[in-house]
Amino acid sequence: MGGIIFVGQRKSLCGDYLPPCGGYLPVRRLPPPVRRLPPAVAVTSRCGGYLPPCGGYLPPCGGYLPPCGGYLPVRRLPPPVRRLPPAVAVTSRVWRLPPPVWRLPPVVAVTSPRGGYLPPWRLPPPVRWLPPPVRLLPPPVRWLPAPGPQWRDGAALDGRAVSGAKCIIPLSGTKQNAGISKGDCIFSLCCNYGHREEDIFFLPSSSCSFLTKPRIRPGQGKVKLAVLQNYAFSVAALELSSADLQNPRKNKEHHTQEMGLKRLIVPRCQVFIIILNFNQSFQPQINNITYMAETGSEPTELLGTRATFSVTQAQHGNVWSASDFTIDLNSLRVSVFTPANAVIGPYTLMIQIYQGQGHSMTYLVGTFILLFNPWSAEDDVYLPSEILLQEYIMMDYGFVYKGRKRFITAWPWNYGQFEDDVIDICLEILNKSLYFLKNPSKDHSQWNDVVYVCRVVSAIINSIDDNGVLQGNWGQDYGVSPLEWNGSVAILRRWSAQGGQPVQYGQCRVFAAVMCAVMRCLGVPARIVSNFRSVHNMDGTLTIDTYCDQNAEMLPTQRPDKIWDFHIWNECWMIRKDLPPGYNGWQVLDPTPQQTSSGLFCCGPASVKAIREGEVHLAYDPPFVYAEVNADEVIWLLGDGQAQESIGKEISTKTIGSEEHQNITSSYRYPEGSPEERSVFMKASRSMLGQTRASSPFLDLLGSSGVENQPAQLHPHLARTPQWGQDLLLTLCAWRVPDRAHPQGPIRLVLRFCAQLHGRGTQEPLWRQEVCLNLDFGQETQWLLLLPYNNYRNRLTDEKLIRVSGIAQVEETGRSMLVLKDISLEPPHLSTEVSKRAEVGKALRVRIGLTNNQMEPLSNCIMVLERSGLIHGQISKSLETLMAGHTLEIQLDLYPIKAGPRQLQVLISSNKVKEIKGYRDIFVTAARAS
């Protein structure tokens, strides 16, 4: 008969089963036939085990001991389950048990593949539980051949210790049988000539690894023992019972508690603690454990997606390590360190326990997610300011700034990077990039490089090259207007729910806001930047030509260059090891699909410092960004032939701790017209255009201050706030100044004004007006210009931008001057008020008011409320038609979910106006103890 060896289980040579929880099995032969138990037989013994109808035994700690041997995880077993009296012993066959029936210790779990019962003697302590969770043994199960016994004739058991680790009782091949003592000693051997083979049984111990003196009975003589040389029967092997990654406490220490407490999310280059519970005491001198951390579909150590490490006394270097361990009974507490260059993403942590003679067992410890760590000086995204970290990592709401240079409006936005499922969606986004689909292993191995990850995200946010998150639309045929989004969470969830299909629709502000949420979620400091009067320079000439006729109408052009009233991109903070020293810090990333980079529609990261210094040869994409903030708009007046410069840009981002915008233009360029600005401009021009094109007379003109003085100054101003649905009123201020062509005396100006939709010069003008003015020195003249609402009511785009242009011709000289005014119309005002105190789980009364100050009703009104920490997802409600001059008031109760500063965002869209927005800052206190 052969023997069988399992990890944590044993089988005697006769085929009986020795469970790891302790107990012992009789080998009495049971007469056939073998009958199965009826299905209703269920729980038995005081340990509360489950006895399935197939004859196996299910111990209370979760293991399953089938009659054929082996060890299987618990499956769902059919009801009914019936509890039997606790004094009944365990059996897997229907067989009457001979008296006496002894009570079992509460944690004993035993069975036999042939049935049987517990013999009527006391079990030797200690008796151990099966280690939860129970694991499936790896197939195949091998039967070990029984080697031939080597006899030692006349070996008397006279009190000498016999090595129990090398002795096993012969069950066949001899008429003289050795038994096992029924006394208190474990592994004690004695002669037992009077017993039959069927009466032989084995008493295992889970705690004793030594021998005591054997007990010799009267009349016992010599005994023949078989010594197995090829296999040593030993005590139960070390097994993992459970593991604790201490998610709630550690997420608070790692600044990830807002992402939830159900799983471990840890920044790299930081220690996290795990507690391993074993089935017996851990002995570091004997037990050999190897730790394995894996990420990606095909983890390998060569690509850095698999790390193998052992326990050491202390942490050594920037490598994966386990150190600072402490032992408490059967528990091992270990500190795991992740290096600063580790690949980010979801990880699986395992341990491998070596059990001798080439045997090992691998256990799953748990899973965790690794992020970039801006708090660590060793990480490439290290930001050395807690104030900045709170703003650019921990702040989950903010503002997007839009409008025009002198009329900037704040657009509230919910980033929601700490919502429970957002981190999973962000990792799903990385898995959908073209780089990942082409070579998953190589792509995943580069997730340790923040520059690479930023480029991947910049490309996947738009959907030009792949099934990115957002589909762009700059027309008027919308599914969901880009103006109707309140935050990133709804967009990311819709993309994931659609199976990775692009969400419709987005424009630059939406692209940038979604990318900001993704980068903050991954641990990269990020912010949104608005560039007013932003240039999209397709041909790289650093000039945008615009043509205007004598009636002040902007003429269409065949060139693909564009000038946006505003364009929005991202900045991310990082160290640029791929660039020369001095270009770390904020880097421009633009997910809006405007131009390809390395074959994909993405942009950046481009160093802001490199853009300011005109170092456009550095990676990645500085020429494109440099043109966005430095290219000159040149307006050509037909019939005059003179070039007019129109440069008026402001680059803004959110002020720390405030909703106001901060002017950061000086970070991108030197002051307009300064020697440094013109020098950098010429350097960048030569790098982008080459020496020949960069030395053209026109660029020389732009590089000088050779714009002639004009005989008059003309400035149009808004006489009142421009509101959609009302007439627009402007005031033109004009005064005489001396010039070389006409140094003295009055002049007469003929002004022709027109209004056009901004960026749509090919359409018929909305309005025209002609004005004649007489100007003399020391005299300022004002003139009112009225643009009626009926002229633009049905012709505006969703952006509601109007450009008013005028040509002023001097009758005395025939020279012309250009006047420009861009107008952004304000939507109706939305008010939001909340009760004074907000507390987690308590009702918070919200009052929303909207007044229709237009001349016509607003119909098809829909209200959407959103805010992470205040609302699960969104609240959407249809509203009644709001008549002209009427006010709509709405009241509802919210129940805050999380404590801390929050911002409630409200959006009302209608048939006429798509974005009527309001917001209210709310501080939510933690729930008071009851």
Side-chain angles (χ1 to χ4, degrees):
M1 186 67 179
I4 180 171
I5 303 303
F6 289 117
V7 177
Q9 287 76 239
R10 298 173 293 280
K11 192 174 182 66
S12 65
L13 294 181
C14 65
D16 294 327
Y17 187 81
L18 310 179
C21 58
Y24 44 97
L25 307 173
V27 292
R28 179 180 300 276
R29 297 187 182 277
L30 300 177
V34 176
R35 288 179 294 161
R36 289 191 174 181
L37 291 176
V41 176
V43 178
T44 186
S45 88
R46 292 187 59 185
C47 62
Y50 184 81
L51 192 61
C54 61
Y57 183 78
L58 186 65
C61 51
Y64 180 77
L65 312 179
C68 58
Y71 199 66
L72 303 175
V74 178
R75 306 295 183 195
R76 187 183 299 277
L77 299 177
V81 175
R82 183 167 57 87
R83 185 171 294 278
L84 298 182
V88 176
V90 178
T91 180
S92 61
R93 300 289 183 267
V94 180
W95 190 257
R96 186 179 300 276
L97 302 177
V101 177
W102 288 70
R103 289 169 100 58
L104 299 177
V107 295
V108 175
V110 291
T111 186
S112 166
R114 293 179 299 174
Y117 56 89
L118 289 175
W121 48 72
R122 188 176 304 277
L123 295 174
V127 180
R128 292 185 176 272
W129 288 80
L130 285 176
V134 178
R135 292 186 165 276
L136 181 65
L137 285 179
V141 177
R142 283 193 308 112
W143 287 90
L144 300 179
Q150 299 180 3
W151 300 101
R152 291 187 297 162
D153 293 330
L157 297 177
D158 55 0
R160 293 181 293 106
V162 181
S163 175
K166 290 296 182 180
C167 296
I168 195 165
I169 301 168
L171 298 177
S172 61
T174 176
K175 294 181 180 180
Q176 293 178 319
N177 296 299
I180 298 179
S181 171
K182 299 176 183 177
D184 296 330
C185 297
I186 308 303
F187 295 117
S188 294
L189 302 181
C190 67
C191 296
N192 194 358
Y193 291 111
H195 285 206
R196 300 190 306 272
E197 180 181 350
E198 290 82 4
D199 294 329
I200 297 174
F201 44 82
F202 179 72
L203 298 101
S205 169
S206 58
S207 62
C208 295
S209 58
F210 57 90
L211 289 175
T212 61
K213 291 183 178 181
R215 179 174 300 178
I216 306 300
R217 294 182 179 180
Q220 293 175 343
K222 298 180 180 180
V223 64
K224 292 184 178 180
L225 299 177
V227 181
L228 293 179
Q229 302 294 336
N230 294 344
Y231 178 74
F233 185 78
S234 62
V235 298
L238 183 70
E239 298 176 359
L240 181 68
S241 301
S242 63
D244 180 11
L245 271 62
Q246 298 187 299
N247 301 345
R249 184 167 66 88
K250 283 302 171 184
N251 282 358
K252 292 181 181 179
E253 296 177 5
H254 298 150
H255 310 282
T256 57
Q257 69 274 15
E258 287 283 325
M259 293 183 175
L261 303 177
K262 295 181 180 179
R263 54 182 172 174
L264 180 63
I265 303 175
V266 56
R268 64 186 186 179
C269 199
Q270 196 160 353
V271 172
F272 64 93
I273 295 175
I274 60 174
I275 297 178
L276 306 176
N277 301 310
F278 299 100
N279 65 327
Q280 59 189 28
S281 178
F282 176 77
Q283 303 179 40
Q285 299 83 0
I286 300 175
N287 303 123
N288 187 2
I289 297 180
T290 298
Y291 296 79
M292 295 173 291
E294 296 181 350
T295 185
S297 56
E298 298 177 357
T300 63
E301 294 190 17
L302 180 63
L303 294 176
T305 51
R306 185 177 190 269
T308 303
F309 50 98
S310 300
V311 175
T312 57
Q313 289 291 341
Q315 175 189 331
H316 298 288
N318 186 33
V319 294
W320 287 88
S321 62
S323 60
D324 300 330
F325 66 91
T326 57
I327 302 173
D328 181 16
L329 297 178
N330 293 3
S331 297
L332 175 64
R333 186 178 185 270
V334 181
S335 298
V336 178
F337 174 78
T338 59
N341 61 349
V343 171
I344 68 164
Y347 274 82
T348 299
L349 181 63
M350 298 171 288
I351 62 170
Q352 190 174 37
I353 303 177
Y354 294 92
Q355 298 171 338
Q357 296 191 359
H359 294 278
S360 65
M361 189 65 181
T362 300
Y363 294 92
L364 173 66
V365 174
T367 60
F368 64 94
I369 297 176
L370 198 63
L371 304 177
F372 292 106
N373 188 357
W375 280 270
S376 172
E378 303 299 322
D379 202 297
D380 289 345
V381 298
Y382 174 58
L383 183 58
S385 169
E386 185 61 31
I387 296 176
L388 297 182
L389 286 168
Q390 291 299 318
E391 180 72 33
Y392 301 130
I393 287 288
M394 302 305 295
M395 186 70 70
D396 61 351
Y397 65 90
F399 296 93
V400 178
Y401 297 97
K402 57 189 285 286
R404 51 191 173 80
K405 178 182 176 182
R406 289 185 175 85
F407 196 79
I408 298 174
T409 58
W411 209 42
W413 191 265
N414 175 35
Y415 299 124
Q417 70 266 26
F418 298 128
E419 289 289 288
D420 290 346
D421 56 343
V422 169
I423 180 62
D424 301 304
I425 298 175
C426 292
L427 296 175
E428 183 183 356
I429 287 173
L430 295 179
N431 286 333
K432 291 296 180 68
S433 74
L434 290 181
Y435 299 108
F436 183 87
L437 297 177
K438 182 179 179 181
N439 191 334
S441 298
K442 181 180 178 181
D443 172 76
H444 205 112
S445 69
Q446 297 182 79
W447 288 10
N448 64 331
D449 182 3
V450 63
V451 174
Y452 179 84
V453 171
C454 285
R455 284 187 63 78
V456 169
V457 175
S458 174
I460 194 66
I461 293 297
N462 68 74
S463 62
I464 297 294
D465 305 298
D466 43 36
N467 288 330
V469 177
L470 278 163
Q471 179 179 339
N473 190 336
W474 285 265
Q476 294 298 304
D477 184 16
Y478 295 129
V480 176
S481 168
L483 304 179
E484 295 182 37
W485 296 111
N486 256 353
S488 304
V489 179
I491 296 172
L492 293 172
R493 285 175 174 167
R494 180 173 295 190
W495 175 80
S496 181
Q498 293 175 175
Q501 295 301 310
V503 176
Q504 300 173 334
Y505 288 102
Q507 292 177 357
C508 65
R509 74 199 80 179
V510 186
F511 286 114
V514 172
M515 182 169 183
C516 185
V518 172
M519 298 315 299
R520 289 187 184 184
C521 184
L522 296 177
V524 180
R527 65 185 184 183
I528 288 179
V529 173
S530 300
N531 179 35
F532 297 92
R533 302 292 294 161
S534 185
V535 171
H536 183 191
N537 187 212
M538 295 291 290
D539 56 9
T541 59
L542 293 178
T543 59
I544 307 297
D545 296 327
T546 305
Y547 300 91
C548 185
D549 65 12
Q550 292 298 322
N551 294 318
E553 293 185 26
M554 296 296 171
L555 302 177
T557 177
Q558 299 300 319
R559 297 180 64 178
D561 297 341
K562 295 182 179 64
I563 298 178
W564 306 103
D565 269 296
F566 62 90
H567 180 58
I568 299 172
W569 59 67
N570 300 97
E571 284 182 357
C572 290
W573 182 276
M574 67 190 73
I575 295 173
R576 292 297 301 272
K577 295 179 179 178
D578 58 324
L579 300 183
Y583 296 101
N584 300 329
W586 290 115
Q587 314 286 319
V588 173
L589 288 139
D590 192 350
T592 302
Q594 298 185 86
Q595 200 161 301
T596 60
S597 174
S598 301
L600 296 179
F601 277 92
C602 66
C603 179
S607 169
V608 173
K609 179 70 175 299
I611 295 167
R612 186 174 192 261
E613 299 300 331
E615 302 293 345
V616 294
H617 62 284
L618 300 176
Y620 291 91
D621 310 310
F624 181 77
V625 182
Y626 182 87
E628 286 185 300
V629 300
N630 285 284
D632 290 319
E633 180 188 13
V634 181
I635 301 177
W636 297 88
L637 307 180
L638 297 185
D640 197 311
Q642 294 188 6
Q644 300 278 341
E645 259 189 299
S646 176
I647 301 175
K649 307 179 182 72
E650 181 171 310
I651 305 172
S652 296
T653 189
K654 179 181 178 297
T655 302
I656 297 174
S658 169
E659 65 182 60
E660 299 298 326
H661 65 92
Q662 176 188 358
N663 190 332
I664 57 171
T665 308
S666 59
S667 299
Y668 282 82
R669 52 182 295 175
Y670 289 97
E672 179 66 31
S674 65
E676 295 88 353
E677 187 265 341
R678 289 292 98 181
S679 174
V680 169
F681 182 86
M682 297 307 297
K683 178 174 69 172
S685 299
R686 294 185 182 95
S687 178
M688 296 170 64
L689 305 177
Q691 291 294 333
T692 304
R693 295 177 63 193
S695 60
S696 65
F698 183 67
L699 283 179
D700 293 338
L701 171 65
L702 294 180
S704 67
S705 58
V707 179
E708 295 186 31
N709 294 327
Q710 301 292 348
Q713 295 290 327
L714 305 173
H715 292 287
H717 299 282
L718 287 167
R720 63 189 181 198
T721 302
Q723 292 187 340
W724 188 90
Q726 297 183 359
D727 297 340
L728 303 181
L729 188 62
L730 294 89
T731 301
L732 176 66
C733 298
W735 60 91
R736 176 80 163 89
V737 294
D739 67 306
R740 291 192 296 269
H742 201 80
Q744 58 185 358
I747 59 173
R748 180 176 174 83
L749 299 179
V750 178
L751 293 95
R752 299 178 181 88
F753 290 95
C754 82
Q756 294 173 282
L757 296 180
H758 195 276
R760 297 177 180 268
T762 59
Q763 296 186 357
E764 182 70 15
L766 304 174
W767 162 83
R768 290 190 180 94
Q769 186 171 342
E770 185 171 321
V771 177
C772 294
L773 297 177
N774 294 315
L775 299 179
D776 202 351
F777 289 106
Q779 179 183 1
E780 180 178 331
T781 302
Q782 294 186 352
W783 192 275
L784 290 179
L785 302 173
L786 180 66
L787 173 56
Y789 167 64
N790 288 333
N791 285 46
Y792 69 82
R793 59 181 296 182
N794 295 320
R795 299 181 60 184
L796 285 183
T797 64
D798 287 342
E799 293 292 349
K800 295 179 174 46
L801 293 175
I802 296 176
R803 164 165 280 192
V804 176
S805 55
I807 295 291
Q809 189 173 33
V810 182
E811 287 189 347
E812 288 78 4
T813 62
R815 294 177 56 193
S816 297
M817 295 180 291
L818 178 68
V819 179
L820 291 175
K821 183 65 176 180
D822 294 325
I823 302 174
S824 176
L825 304 183
E826 285 193 4
H829 176 67
L830 183 68
S831 64
T832 306
E833 296 180 359
V834 297
S835 53
K836 293 183 179 180
R837 179 179 175 83
E839 184 179 338
V840 172
K842 298 294 182 64
L844 175 67
R845 178 58 56 91
V846 178
R847 298 178 180 87
I848 300 169
L850 173 63
T851 300
N852 184 4
N853 53 10
Q854 303 182 70
M855 301 178 182
E856 55 186 280
L858 297 176
S859 59
N860 301 327
C861 296
I862 298 177
M863 180 183 68
V864 178
L865 279 72
E866 181 174 347
R867 177 60 183 105
S868 299
L870 290 176
I871 302 171
H872 285 296
Q874 294 179 326
I875 295 177
S876 182
K877 183 178 181 180
S878 298
L879 307 177
E880 60 186 18
T881 298
L882 183 58
M883 304 305 295
H886 288 204
T887 298
L888 178 66
E889 292 187 356
I890 306 164
Q891 291 189 13
L892 70 161
D893 290 336
L894 303 179
Y895 294 85
I897 305 165
K898 297 179 180 179
R902 307 292 168 189
Q903 185 185 83
L904 177 65
Q905 284 129 13
V906 184
L907 168 69
I908 296 180
S909 60
S910 69
N911 62 327
K912 294 293 185 181
V913 186
K914 297 298 183 184
E915 55 161 340
I916 305 174
K917 285 203 169 191
Y919 66 92
R920 174 63 62 182
D921 292 329
I922 303 170
F923 186 85
V924 181
T925 61
R928 288 176 289 184
S930 56

